[in-house]
Amino acid sequence: MADIDAGTLLFAAIFTNNILLTNFLGLCPFLSISREVRSSLGLGVAVVFVMTCTAVINYLVYYYVLVPLHLDHFRYIVFIIIIASFVQLVEISVERFFPALYFVLGIFLPLITVNCAILGASLFLIIREYTLIQSIAYGAGSGIGWMLAIIAVGSIREKLQKTARLPKGLEGPAITLFITGIMALAFMAFSGMIQIQ
Amino acid sequence: MPKPPKKIEIFKAGLWKDNPVLRQILGICSTLAVTNLMVNTLVMNAGLIFTLTMSSLTVSLLRTYTPMRIRMMVQTLIIASYVIIVDIVIKAYLPSISEALGPYVGLIITNCIIMGRCEAFAKNNPPLASFLDGIAVAIGYAIVLMAIALVREPLGFGTLLGFRVMPDGFTPWTVMIMAPGAFFMLGLYVWIVKAFFPQPQEILKSG
């Protein structure tokens, strides 16, 4: 499906095909970080930035280096190396030039290398044969959608910690999974608007 | 270096005591997505068992030669190489399932369990123990996923492995095929395990 315009795709990636709530990607950091809103926001911003940039870089590398050389089977290795080195580069430059920002985002950056949502977005845009513009929209949209989900769940969990009395065993990951499930149900309401697959 | 743990202990820990999904909630990302059909789950599990076991073994064999500073990179490359093998094999022999699994096979690379076992166990232990640890953890993981698929497929499609198991008048629960079904099922399992089989440190904490 390559005939969706970028704006629609951006909207679809945020709401109807939310990468966390419909594709289950990026769940590990999601479950451990979503305890409070502040850190959710920090990680969310970092994910949006890294996901958009790596989507573009991976797109260019795949179509202009790997495909002409018939090396497309190596895309997993190449993508993961690109993501890891990009994150490292961002970390170094943020630390050097924006120390204040580093103080806020610093600890989240290394976490991003193993965030499957980043690699997942890059793999989806290859499989669905997006163009460059669509890839940018998809990368940004997926990142924003992920951030939205983690902030929403983070705020609910923060409230829960203060007010709710949960049954034994339900606290922690179990209740987070239930909240996420209900959130996914809510997001399913958007799915009638646009379908991308 | 600490003495390598007993073989049977490794197995017990991987299967139940430190079960990666139920106890540590690790590595659920790429694999929850395929639990709406039992067939997909089985193929994905086979891929994961192979990757995890072989990566543990390889990391352990190379553990004395790998410089500490770049070990994460080395581990990622080892894992990625095995995932590529799995991907090619599935594409060649099971093309229709490969299509259904989409990018999720590739996402085994970023499955935190594999990296977690390499970091926590294989890098300090001899090859045989690491190999067993890999198998045990992978099987513990596979069992949980199959348990989720066992509920989702009959309720969502009325079938199991493609065979009809529900009576004719049964209305499929669409929610079970969709994403929320997987979240609810996993949440339920985690809840049950934590409520009825608490770990020692959890008893201390709540008591």
Side-chain angles (χ1 to χ4, degrees):
Chain A
M1 267 267 218
D3 54 350
I4 317 166
D5 70 282
T8 319
L9 192 59
L10 180 77
F11 182 82
I14 300 176
F15 292 107
T16 65
N17 282 54
N18 188 295
I19 199 158
L20 179 81
L21 297 173
T22 62
N23 293 326
F24 306 99
L25 295 180
L27 268 175
C28 312
F30 172 81
L31 287 178
S32 52
I33 298 297
S34 66
R35 242 175 241 122
E36 43 186 316
V37 180
R38 241 187 92 80
S39 39
S40 304
L41 184 70
L43 185 64
V45 172
V47 165
V48 175
F49 178 67
V50 173
M51 201 183 267
T52 316
C53 299
T54 52
V56 178
I57 302 174
N58 284 341
Y59 176 90
L60 294 174
V61 168
Y62 184 74
Y63 283 108
Y64 293 100
V65 180
L66 293 184
V67 172
L69 294 173
H70 301 291
L71 288 175
D72 44 337
H73 261 304
F74 286 94
R75 63 171 184 259
Y76 299 145
I77 288 193
V78 174
F79 283 6
I80 198 86
I81 293 176
I82 290 176
I83 293 170
S85 25
F86 182 78
V87 170
Q88 197 93 62
L89 203 72
V90 171
E91 199 183 348
I92 295 170
S93 41
V94 167
E95 190 180 10
R96 174 78 181 72
F97 299 110
F98 309 100
L101 188 64
Y102 182 77
F103 191 65
V104 185
L105 289 186
I107 49 163
F108 299 116
L109 283 169
L111 271 177
I112 288 188
T113 318
V114 288
N115 188 333
C116 32
I118 310 275
L119 181 64
S122 293
L123 292 177
F124 269 123
L125 64 90
I126 300 296
I127 288 177
R128 296 182 186 160
E129 297 171 349
Y130 289 147
T131 62
L132 181 58
I133 305 294
Q134 284 173 331
S135 301
I136 298 173
Y138 184 74
S142 302
I144 297 170
W146 198 90
M147 180 172 81
L148 207 66
I150 195 173
I151 293 175
V153 172
S155 2
I156 295 178
R157 282 186 75 180
E158 213 175 81
K159 279 265 186 297
L160 271 185
Q161 271 166 5
K162 291 182 195 126
T163 55
R165 249 184 266 139
L166 294 170
K168 197 166 136 277
L170 189 60
E171 71 278 346
I175 190 67
T176 313
L177 285 165
F178 282 116
I179 297 171
T180 317
I182 296 169
M183 192 77 72
L185 270 181
F187 271 64
M188 271 168 68
F190 290 110
S191 65
M193 299 171 76
I194 315 158
Q195 270 305 340
I196 53 166
Q197 198 60 65
Chain B
M1 191 188 288
K3 216 172 92 211
K6 279 214 194 75
K7 309 279 180 292
I8 186 79
E9 288 302 316
I10 298 175
F11 245 92
K12 269 202 244 161
L15 284 182
W16 178 248
K17 221 166 87 240
D18 294 322
N19 185 297
V21 184
L22 296 175
R23 297 294 192 190
Q24 310 173 29
I25 329 283
L26 276 184
I28 45 183
C29 328
S30 58
T31 345
L32 257 190
V34 299
T35 52
N36 57 0
L37 278 177
M38 198 58 161
V39 185
N40 294 353
T41 312
L42 292 178
V43 174
M44 194 72 179
N45 279 340
L48 189 110
I49 293 174
F50 173 79
T51 315
L52 180 47
T53 316
M54 295 310 287
S55 312
S56 276
L57 181 65
T58 317
V59 168
S60 173
L61 283 172
L62 294 176
R63 71 187 189 285
T64 43
Y65 309 104
T66 319
M68 273 315 251
R69 289 182 65 91
I70 59 158
R71 66 173 195 285
M72 300 290 260
M73 209 66 216
V74 174
Q75 289 168 4
T76 313
L77 287 182
I78 292 170
I79 297 167
S81 321
Y82 285 116
V83 170
I84 290 176
I85 297 176
V86 171
D87 188 45
I88 293 175
V89 169
I90 295 180
K91 257 199 198 118
Y93 290 101
L94 305 161
S96 60
I97 292 183
S98 164
E99 197 135 305
L101 293 178
Y104 292 107
V105 177
L107 286 169
I108 295 179
I109 299 173
T110 46
N111 192 316
C112 353
I113 291 181
I114 304 184
M115 191 64 124
R117 288 331 286 176
C118 292
E119 246 327 88
F121 197 93
K123 88 171 197 277
N124 309 318
N125 282 289
L128 184 63
S130 308
F131 182 76
L132 288 174
D133 177 71
I135 294 186
V137 171
I139 293 176
Y141 182 78
I143 289 172
V144 178
L145 286 174
M146 285 192 284
I148 296 175
L150 198 63
V151 176
R152 281 184 80 195
E153 191 179 338
L155 288 181
F157 292 100
T159 58
L160 188 61
L161 283 168
F163 298 105
R164 190 134 197 101
V165 288
M166 287 302 194
D168 280 337
F170 176 75
T171 317
W173 302 10
T174 318
V175 68
M176 276 295 163
I177 315 173
M178 313 293 286
F183 286 122
F184 291 141
M185 283 316 301
L186 183 61
L188 198 63
Y189 283 136
V190 172
W191 183 11
I192 293 171
V193 169
K194 270 187 87 174
F196 292 105
F197 310 97
Q199 277 173 314
Q201 69 263 34
E202 278 166 5
I203 297 174
L204 282 179
K205 226 185 334 180
S206 62

